[in-house]
Amino acid sequence: MFKKSSISLVVATLLLSTTASAAKTYSASDKAIKLTQDTILIDTHIDVPFRLNKKWEDVSQATASGDFDYPRAKQGGLNAPFMSIYIPASLDKSAESTALADKLIDYVEAIVGRAPDKFAIAKSADDVEKQFKQGLISLPMGMENGSPIQGSMDNLKHFYERGIRYITLAHSMSNHIADSSYDLRRQWKGLSPFGKELIVEMNKLGIMVDISHVSDDAFYQAVAISKVPVIASHSSLRAFTPGFERNMDDDMIKALGKNGGVVQINFGSTFVSKVARSWSDTLSNKRKEIEEKEGKDSDLAKSFEKKYTDKNPMPFATVDTVLDHIDHVVKLIGIDHVGIGSDYDGVGDSLPEGLKDVSTYPNLVQGLLDRGYSDKDITKILSGNLLRVWRANEAYAAKH
C-alpha cells in the first residue's frame, strides 16, 4: 500500500511527465536546417489567398496571424508554396465561383507586385528552379475545387494562362466534375461525363489532376483516364484514420504508385491522427445535436465550440505522427511517391505540435534524418517527386 504522501508524489510525477510530453519542444540540427535551406522545398497546398480574402495582410512582412509570411517561410526553407485558389463548394454553379477564383489569383499577383524582390509567380518547374537560384520564393498556384471551370474548356484555358497548374476536381460537395468524398450524394458514381473530358483537356494543357477530396470511384476513374501521373495535393492515409474517406486507403496508394503519381501529406491533426479524428467527429456530432435542438443561430449553438474545446482541448498530432504517414507510403510504393501538402492556413488550429507554421519544416526534416532517410531521399520528399510529376505533365502537354 502506498502512503498518501507517496501517492501524491506519484500523481505529481505523472502530471509533470504528461505536461512535459504535451509541451515537447523540437530542435532541428544544423544539418536539418541546412538541408531545408539548400533544397527546393515545395508544399503543394497553402491557403494564403483565401485567408487574405477574409482579411488582407501584407505577407511580405511578418504577420501576427496565419501560418505563412515571408520571414517565417525563409526561416523554414519554404521556397515554392503552391498558393491554393480555394473556392467554397457553396458557390458551385454560380458566376461568383469563377469571379472569386480570378480575385484570389489577383491577390497572389498582388503579393508579387508588392515585393518582387521576395516573390515571383511560377508557371513551370523551370520557373521554380530558376527562381530558387535567384533567392526568390516561387508562388505556383493550384485551384482547390474545379467549380470555377463552369463546364467550359475556355475557362480551363483561361485559368491555365493565369497560372493554375493543378485542379482539385471537387471539394466538400459533389460538383459538375466529380463526386466528393465528403458528400453522401454520389450523383455521378465517380466523375461526370464533363469531368472525364476535363481530365483529357487538363493533360493536354499540362494542368496536374489533383484527386484530393474526391470519392474513391472518382479517384480510380481519374487515374484510369489520365495519361500522365496525378497528384493528391493535400491528403493523408486512411490506414491511420479508419473510415475517413477523405484520406487514401492502401489500394488507392498502390494505384497512385502505378500511375507514377505522388501523395502530398496533409499535416492537419485530424488527417493524421486517429485520436484527433475521433475528437473532431465527437465535436461535430455534439454540435449537430445542439443545432437540431436549439437552432443554428441560437446563442447555445454559437458558443458551443469554444466551450467544448475549452473543456476538451484537441489532442494534437506530432511530427512523428506525420512521419508515420510518410513511412507508410514509402513502405507501400517507394520513396518516389510522397511529398508535402501541409494545408497551412487551411486547417485552422489543428496543426501538430512541432509543425505549427511554415517556419517548422526543419523539424520534419530532422525527423526524417532520425528515421534513417538519406539526403537524397529527403530531397525527393521535399520537392523532387513533385517536380518529376510536374515535368511529366509538361512534357505530355508539349506533345499534344
Side-chain angles (χ1 to χ4, degrees):
M1 294 283 293
F2 285 115
K3 293 181 179 179
K4 186 176 181 181
S5 59
S6 299
I7 294 173
S8 298
L9 181 61
V10 170
V11 171
T13 302
L14 286 172
L15 286 172
L16 184 62
S17 173
T18 302
T19 302
S21 175
K24 179 181 177 182
T25 57
Y26 291 86
S27 179
S29 65
D30 289 344
K31 179 176 181 179
I33 293 169
K34 190 174 188 302
L35 259 175
T36 60
Q37 294 295 328
D38 293 349
T39 305
I40 294 175
L41 199 168
I42 296 175
D43 187 321
T44 44
H45 200 87
I46 294 188
D47 277 293
V48 168
F50 198 74
R51 166 188 156 195
L52 298 184
N53 189 55
K54 292 180 179 178
K55 181 184 178 183
W56 175 263
E57 293 183 286
D58 182 2
V59 294
S60 70
Q61 309 294 327
T63 59
S65 62
D67 306 325
F68 174 95
D69 58 39
Y70 181 79
R72 285 183 284 174
K74 290 296 284 185
Q75 181 182 347
L78 176 63
N79 39 59
F82 268 79
M83 296 285 98
S84 172
I85 306 303
Y86 162 63
I87 309 301
S90 59
L91 299 182
D92 195 30
K93 298 180 182 177
S94 74
E96 190 179 349
S97 170
T98 304
L100 178 59
D102 275 317
K103 183 180 180 183
L104 297 185
I105 294 172
D106 289 344
Y107 285 150
V108 179
E109 292 177 345
I111 292 171
V112 175
R114 282 170 172 258
D117 58 324
K118 297 177 179 178
F119 298 104
I121 300 292
K123 295 185 178 182
S124 68
D126 282 349
D127 282 350
V128 170
E129 292 193 341
K130 179 181 70 176
Q131 290 157 6
F132 173 69
K133 291 175 183 176
Q134 294 171 336
L136 297 170
I137 292 181
S138 295
L139 298 181
M141 289 179 281
M143 180 182 287
E144 185 179 20
N145 187 1
S147 170
I149 303 303
Q150 301 286 5
S152 167
M153 297 304 178
D154 287 339
N155 281 345
L156 178 68
K157 187 176 180 182
H158 164 75
F159 285 115
Y160 172 80
E161 290 172 348
R162 292 215 66 187
I164 295 298
R165 290 300 179 266
Y166 76 69
I167 295 176
T168 316
L169 302 178
H171 190 247
S172 59
M173 293 173 62
S174 175
N175 62 13
H176 72 288
I177 298 168
D179 291 331
S180 165
S181 60
Y182 285 121
D183 195 339
L184 294 178
R185 302 168 302 154
R186 301 299 164 93
Q187 62 173 324
W188 306 117
K189 295 181 173 57
L191 299 174
S192 71
F194 174 76
K196 294 173 182 178
E197 294 175 9
L198 183 69
I199 289 175
V200 173
E201 292 304 312
M202 288 172 66
N203 285 176
K204 289 179 180 178
L205 282 174
I207 300 176
M208 292 178 281
V209 174
D210 177 21
I211 54 75
S212 288
H213 279 286
V214 302
S215 69
D216 289 8
D217 286 340
F219 162 80
Y220 283 110
Q221 291 167 23
V223 168
I225 293 169
S226 181
K227 301 297 183 183
V228 287
V230 305
I231 67 169
S233 70
H234 58 304
S235 293
S236 299
L237 313 183
R238 213 177 296 174
F240 299 92
T241 56
F244 185 41
E245 189 179 345
R246 169 66 177 82
N247 278 346
M248 300 178 68
D249 69 20
D250 286 3
D251 288 338
M252 296 167 76
I253 295 164
K254 290 174 183 176
L256 187 79
K258 289 180 181 178
N259 164 266
V262 58
V263 52
Q264 306 285 102
I265 300 299
N266 189 314
F267 290 176
S269 289
T270 59
F271 285 80
V272 294
S273 164
K274 181 179 180 179
V275 175
R277 181 78 248 154
S278 178
W279 177 93
S280 178
D281 289 343
T282 300
L283 171 64
S284 296
N285 291 336
K286 288 184 178 296
R287 183 198 297 116
K288 185 178 179 181
E289 289 176 8
I290 288 180
E291 288 177 348
E292 289 177 349
K293 184 177 180 180
E294 306 290 338
K296 287 186 178 182
D297 296 326
S298 66
D299 290 341
L300 198 60
K302 290 177 180 178
S303 63
F304 165 74
E305 186 163 337
K306 186 179 186 307
K307 289 180 179 178
Y308 182 86
T309 54
D310 284 348
K311 292 182 180 179
N312 307 278
M314 172 177 278
F316 293 112
T318 65
V319 173
D320 282 318
T321 321
V322 176
L323 291 168
D324 289 344
H325 285 249
I326 293 174
D327 282 351
H328 192 77
V329 176
V330 173
K331 289 174 184 176
L332 273 180
I333 58 175
I335 192 65
D336 296 323
H337 304 282
V338 66
I340 296 170
S342 65
D343 215 345
Y344 281 130
D345 277 328
V347 288
D349 297 326
S350 75
L351 291 158
E353 298 292 351
L355 292 172
K356 291 298 187 183
D357 64 31
V358 296
S359 70
T360 60
Y361 295 102
N363 294 336
L364 187 73
V365 171
Q366 184 62 56
L368 291 168
L369 289 169
D370 292 344
R371 293 192 180 201
Y373 285 85
S374 68
D375 292 6
K376 181 180 178 182
D377 287 346
I378 292 171
T379 299
K380 287 184 175 183
I381 293 168
L382 296 184
S383 61
N385 294 334
L386 193 281
L387 285 172
R388 170 186 58 79
V389 171
W390 193 351
R391 289 192 187 283
N393 276 259
E394 289 175 334
Y396 182 87
K399 292 179 181 179
H400 297 83

